[in-house]
Amino acid sequence: QGQTETSAKNVQNENENVGFKCLNYSVVESNGTVEVTIVKKRRGQFTFGVRTVNQTAVAPKDYTHEDKIITIQEHETEYKFEVPIVDDAEWQPDVYFAIELYDPNTEDCKKLEGDDT
């Protein structure tokens, strides 16, 4: 309740290792969080970073910034990641932030290749 998703099916340039199950989420402030599912696409253990990026929504005013290193174990196929949303009394139009998957082993923590990352 309070959260909708848009499927990531039919992504042309997808990452071969990991990607978002859905590319767009919509959530009302009163929901408190947005839950994002990341899918592992290959066998074995895989480690990557996940971080939020300001757009028209800005942390910490609109949401809580997250930056984590995640390891999906060999027996796991997905990871659920929650971002806290700030619920205030102030009216504002729809605002947006992004979530990126990145390689924590590169010097500049480069975003992973693919339209689903």
Side-chain angles (χ1 to χ4, degrees):
Q1 222 179 37
Q3 178 172 318
T4 59
E5 306 172 340
T6 303
S7 174
K9 292 179 182 172
N10 301 322
V11 172
Q12 304 248 336
N13 179 29
E14 69 178 47
N15 186 282
E16 63 186 25
N17 298 310
V18 68
F20 292 110
K21 184 175 184 178
C22 296
L23 296 181
N24 296 293
Y25 292 80
S26 178
V27 62
V28 294
E29 282 184 357
S30 62
N31 202 52
T33 62
V34 58
E35 182 179 84
V36 177
T37 303
I38 300 164
V39 178
K40 183 178 72 172
K41 302 176 189 177
R42 66 176 185 93
R43 292 179 184 219
Q45 179 177 294
F46 189 72
T47 299
F48 59 95
V50 60
R51 63 184 167 218
T52 55
V53 179
N54 288 341
Q55 293 188 340
T56 57
V58 177
K61 180 182 177 294
D62 299 309
Y63 69 96
T64 301
H65 173 70
E66 297 288 334
D67 190 342
K68 298 180 180 186
I69 306 299
I70 307 299
T71 298
I72 300 180
Q73 299 300 325
E74 183 167 347
H75 65 279
E76 298 172 316
T77 58
E78 62 182 34
Y79 176 82
K80 295 193 184 289
F81 175 72
E82 285 192 355
V83 179
I85 304 298
V86 175
D87 185 11
D88 58 25
E90 178 184 325
W91 181 90
Q92 61 187 38
D94 290 347
V95 292
Y96 307 90
F97 64 92
I99 302 173
E100 291 181 340
L101 305 181
Y102 67 91
D103 184 349
N105 299 314
T106 58
E107 187 174 315
D108 58 354
C109 293
K110 184 179 176 185
K111 180 183 172 287
L112 292 176
E113 297 291 325
D115 295 337
D116 60 344
T117 63

